[in-house]
Amino acid sequence: MSGPVAPGEITIAPGLDPLRLQPIFRRTRRLHIPDVLPGQTAAAICQALIRDTPWKRSLFLGDRGVALDFDELAAMPADARARLDQGLAQRARDGFQYAFDSWSVSDEVEAGRRTGHPAESFYDFLNAPAFLQWVRAVTGDDRPRYCDAQCTRFNPGDYLNGHTDEAEGKNRLYAYVMNLTPKWTVDWGGVLLFIDQDGHVAEGYTPAFNALNIFEVPQPHSVSIVAPFAGTSRLAITGWIRSAGPDA
């Protein structure tokens, strides 16, 4: 297991003045912010994602998301696995679907199952008063009160089809993506794409290392499929910044 990262070691880079970022955010309701964390902290989280993360396979089956153990998938008979893969491909072609690896940090922490993984300290940092106040200043919105978090890994062939992140009763105000892949190129795919009302790509964020993306919910977006020749996995910690409730 990688060494823990103390929450106090995680800080927003001092040059990222939220009041200078706020006018940029207001124009498109999204931001790509480079060099957000201390470099050693980002590197430590990245190495833990590579070496020490209990990944599960995240898929959208029927009308809900599921997280399957890799042992469970490996034990499936060949014909059953073929049917599963064919069904995923059909739903991805005709509607909403995703396929990538994940680990829900917030679910584990809130259930009292801490392991010392550095992503747990990042979750604590997200929910500390300093970060929440920084988000309020960047967005000009005083409602943010809580952030959830999941680690994500997109390997070649993985994708996340277009959606808006809107979910009744979830109190989602903003989505965030903390990018933790040391090296990436746009040719490898895995790009966070924002879709305009005509179905065109309005803007795309390549997953640059130690860059934070924040965008308002709802907003149509997707993650483009990772190319078969991608040189590594697309690693990130993602989630939603939420209000305390629908009237908060």
Side-chain angles (χ1 to χ4, degrees), residues 48 68 115 125 127 147 157 222 226-227 239 243 248:
L68 302 178
T115 65
F125 156 75
N127 287 286
C147 303
S222 65
V226 176
S243 67

Side-chain angles (χ1 to χ4, degrees), residues 51-142:
R51 299 174 180 172
D52 300 324
T53 305
W55 298 108
K56 292 189 175 184
R57 190 64 174 159
S58 285
L59 306 169
F60 192 75
L61 298 180
D63 60 353
R64 64 188 182 92
V66 298
L68 302 178
D69 291 326
F70 286 99
D71 290 345
E72 180 181 356
L73 286 169
M76 290 181 67
D79 58 341
R81 182 60 190 268
R83 287 194 300 272
L84 173 63
D85 291 341
Q86 289 168 2
L88 294 174
Q90 180 177 352
R91 286 188 290 274
R93 182 175 58 247
D94 299 334
F96 178 65
Q97 184 54 263
Y98 57 76
F100 57 88
D101 302 337
S102 69
W103 175 51
S104 179
V105 180
S106 47
D107 285 354
E108 294 301 301
V109 170
E110 291 162 21
R113 296 188 292 265
R114 286 182 179 264
T115 65
H117 195 291
E120 296 167 355
S121 294
F122 185 76
Y123 166 80
D124 294 336
F125 156 75
L126 292 173
N127 287 286
F131 179 79
L132 290 171
Q133 184 55 42
W134 185 84
V135 168
R136 294 175 195 130
V138 167
T139 60
D141 185 346
D142 64 2

Side-chain angles (χ1 to χ4, degrees), residues 161-219:
N161 278 3
H163 61 293
T164 66
D165 279 345
E166 193 168 28
E168 186 176 356
K170 296 292 188 180
N171 308 322
R172 296 172 178 172
L173 302 173
Y174 307 96
Y176 74 87
V177 181
M178 183 67 222
N179 296 285
L180 292 161
T181 307
K183 177 184 177 182
W184 199 265
T185 172
V186 68
D187 294 330
W188 294 355
V191 179
L192 176 59
L193 302 174
F194 295 96
I195 313 303
D196 68 17
Q197 61 184 2
D198 296 320
H200 300 303
V201 175
E203 193 170 15
Y205 295 161
T206 302
F209 181 67
N210 198 14
L212 179 68
N213 303 328
I214 298 178
F215 55 96
E216 188 175 52
V217 174
Q219 190 164 169

Side-chain angles (χ1 to χ4, degrees), residues 224-243:
S224 63
I225 189 168
V226 176
F229 52 80
T232 187
S233 300
R234 179 191 187 273
L235 301 171
I237 299 177
T238 71
W240 294 278
I241 300 163
R242 306 176 187 243
S243 67

